[in-house]
Amino acid sequence: MTSWVEVHPDSDFPIQNLPFGIFTTRATPPRTGVAIGEYVLDIALLHRKKYFSGIDLPPAVFHQPFLNDFLALGRKKITAVRNRISALLQKDNKTLQLKKALRDEALIPQKNTRMLMPVRISNYTDFYSSEEHAINLGSMFRDPWHPLLPNWKHLPVAYHGRASSIVVTGTDIRRPWGQIKLPDKSSPEFSPTAKLDFELELAFITCGESKLGKPISIRRAEDYIGGFVLFNDWSARDIQQWEYAPLGPFLGKNFASTMSPWLVTLDALEPFRVSGPQQVPEVLPYLAFSGKKNFDITLEVTLQATQGEETVLCRTNAKYLYWNACQQLAHHTVNGCNVQVGDVYASGTISGPSPGSFGSMIELSWNGEKSLTLADGSTRTFLEDGDRIRMRGHACVNGVRIGFGECSGKILPAYSGTSG
């Protein structure tokens, strides 16, 4: 399947992808768009011109500043809209292709747009679903012979994060202050973090609501998944290490998280399903599933210093995740917790089996014991002011590449004179 819109072979956004996002230009307010090659297709305009007739969509559903109203229509409507867009963009379809004035108005170069937060987020949960990552951190801070806590292979461990501090790609991140307890000190001190870190994650966003008290079964979990984004759960490791007992992450995590702007649908990821790691011991029945629930998505993190080229820090794959998205959602709601449209559920750091596939600086530097050398010759154990982290991800089969775009952020110095 090819499009009449020119798409470079290395583009993240061929006609087989068609992710949804919210964009704006100098001439237009926020609205829904779909990525195709180097362009954004203005589907709010196409809806106004009756190109989605027969799908039964609210008149202003694509003229909203977030995707929530569209996602709330459910998986079937999302698929129907995506299929209609795919048909309009196919090479042999002349319906839109020959209407030059409308075509030129509807197809906007991405360089002339500004991407916004795709959803209004009510709730955010961060899981801990990579066995390799959990083993690495357990080895560092607990017992290298027994790195996993007893519950880890029985349930998807998670914590509730802060939705208000999730930002879209390109937003600068301010180095946070907090309490830090140094090993040679008897009391903590108040200072900016010295161990600022990234966490390479994949997150799904919900497209349905459930009733309080009614769990979502694992068989129905995908009905509630609108799509996936790249996610960076920035972490201040020294603040986190002092504060996390006994209730878990707080200031070391809630200062910022970054997400990519394009929502890649389950339909687009269908060809990339794979089996995940074998789960031993056998999970409880409410977490048991059939079929392939992991995805073969290559993930990469680069670091660009203030002056210099990008350096690849790690490459890994989402297929390594021990707990899949369906298990995460089923466990999250088994106690009756209700979900809302636009909720974000992040995977937790995704690490692979080799050092080059570790998805965080704390693993790559082994908590500061090893230095990473950048392309300009400088070294890092954790992130410095001026560093820009970029996350990218794509899946590829038979020459078709489905990508997520970019999830990036630059580190700014901590505020001076902070008193808390």
Side-chain angles (χ1 to χ4, degrees):
M1 184 167 56
T2 57
S3 174
W4 50 265
V5 179
E6 183 178 356
V7 179
H8 192 277
D10 292 334
S11 172
D12 277 352
F13 308 120
I15 192 172
Q16 291 85 354
N17 192 348
L18 304 180
F20 295 92
I22 298 294
F23 77 99
T24 186
T25 70
R26 290 183 177 181
T28 59
R31 58 186 57 202
T32 302
V34 164
I36 175 71
E38 298 302 313
Y39 296 89
V40 175
L41 181 67
D42 185 345
I43 63 173
L45 172 62
L46 295 187
H47 185 30
R48 195 168 71 244
K49 297 292 184 178
K50 310 299 183 185
Y51 279 84
F52 296 108
S53 59
I55 301 181
D56 188 25
L57 299 170
V61 68
F62 298 130
H63 285 273
Q64 305 302 316
F66 300 104
L67 291 173
N68 294 56
D69 287 358
F70 172 52
L71 295 179
L73 300 177
R75 277 286 310 281
K76 290 183 179 180
K77 284 286 178 68
I78 296 170
T79 298
V81 169
R82 182 177 174 275
N83 287 346
R84 180 67 57 86
I85 296 167
S86 176
L88 289 169
L89 294 177
Q90 286 181 35
K91 193 170 186 177
D92 59 355
N93 190 324
K94 309 299 183 182
T95 306
L96 178 61
Q97 185 178 172
L98 295 181
K99 294 184 178 179
K100 187 177 186 306
L102 177 59
R103 183 191 70 198
D104 292 347
E105 185 180 0
L107 279 172
I108 306 163
Q110 288 192 31
K111 63 183 180 181
N112 295 338
T113 67
R114 183 166 67 94
M115 298 306 300
L116 307 176
M117 278 291 292
V119 291
R120 180 180 59 252
I121 304 168
S122 296
N123 303 288
Y124 158 50
T125 299
D126 192 42
F127 285 89
Y128 193 48
S129 296
S130 166
E131 182 178 8
E132 290 82 359
H133 176 68
I135 286 175
N136 287 338
L137 265 63
S139 298
M140 281 182 219
F141 298 116
R142 287 190 297 272
D143 179 359
W145 300 106
H146 303 91
L148 296 180
L149 290 172
N151 65 347
W152 199 91
K153 287 202 169 184
H154 293 274
L155 56 88
V157 174
Y159 72 93
H160 291 293
R162 183 72 181 179
S164 66
S165 56
I166 299 177
V167 296
V168 74
T169 184
T171 305
D172 292 338
I173 304 301
R174 184 73 65 176
R175 182 178 295 272
W177 288 74
Q179 285 194 25
I180 297 169
K181 169 67 168 61
L182 299 175
D184 59 344
K185 301 291 185 180
S186 59
S187 300
E189 61 182 39
F190 182 65
S191 71
T193 177
K195 292 185 175 183
L196 187 54
D197 201 356
F198 66 85
E199 289 192 343
L200 173 57
E201 307 191 21
L202 200 64
F204 68 86
I205 296 175
T206 44
C207 63
E209 297 199 352
S210 63
K211 293 182 179 180
L212 183 65
K214 185 176 181 180
I216 297 173
S217 72
I218 199 162
R219 293 183 300 279
R220 293 198 60 213
E222 289 189 0
D223 293 341
Y224 290 82
I225 298 176
F228 288 83
V229 295
L230 299 178
F231 198 82
N232 182 356
D233 188 26
W234 303 94
S235 298
R237 300 297 185 181
D238 40 10
I239 296 173
Q240 180 184 355
Q241 187 175 355
W242 170 241
E243 74 180 1
Y244 82 98
L247 294 181
F250 187 34
L251 301 187
K253 293 279 194 176
N254 70 3
F255 61 95
S257 299
T258 303
M259 62 188 290
S260 55
W262 293 109
L263 187 67
V264 178
T265 64
L266 277 173
D267 296 317
L269 294 175
E270 194 66 33
F272 309 101
R273 288 183 182 269
V274 293
S275 299
Q278 183 180 5
Q279 296 183 333
V280 179
E282 184 177 350
V283 298
L284 291 173
Y286 78 94
L287 291 172
F289 65 95
S290 60
K292 298 177 178 180
K293 300 299 183 183
N294 280 42
F295 297 95
D296 184 2
I297 302 171
T298 299
L299 302 165
E300 177 185 272
V301 180
T302 67
L303 188 155
Q304 183 179 25
T306 305
Q307 302 292 330
E309 60 186 274
E310 288 183 86
T311 300
V312 175
L313 296 180
C314 66
R315 288 191 178 97
T316 187
N317 197 296
K319 67 184 180 183
Y320 295 129
L321 285 170
Y322 188 90
W323 297 104
N324 61 58
C326 293
Q327 291 178 310
Q328 292 166 9
L329 191 56
H331 182 68
H332 197 297
T333 65
V334 73
N335 66 343
C337 175
N338 57 315
V339 306
Q340 296 179 309
V341 172
D343 287 354
V344 174
Y345 302 83
S347 62
T349 303
I350 303 174
S351 294
S354 61
S357 64
F358 294 166
S360 63
M361 291 291 282
I362 195 170
E363 295 170 273
L364 293 167
S365 72
W366 210 252
N367 198 23
E369 293 180 10
K370 305 173 184 178
S371 293
L372 307 177
T373 302
L374 306 184
D376 64 0
S378 63
T379 60
R380 296 288 188 279
T381 53
F382 289 93
L383 301 179
E384 297 184 4
D385 296 344
D387 288 349
R388 179 176 293 279
I389 290 293
R390 288 186 175 91
M391 296 180 175
R392 301 179 177 93
H394 73 274
C396 190
V397 65
N398 298 327
V400 176
R401 176 189 174 102
I402 303 297
F404 288 77
E406 185 177 288
C407 178
S408 70
K410 179 181 177 180
I411 306 301
L412 299 183
Y415 280 117
S416 59
T418 299
S419 62

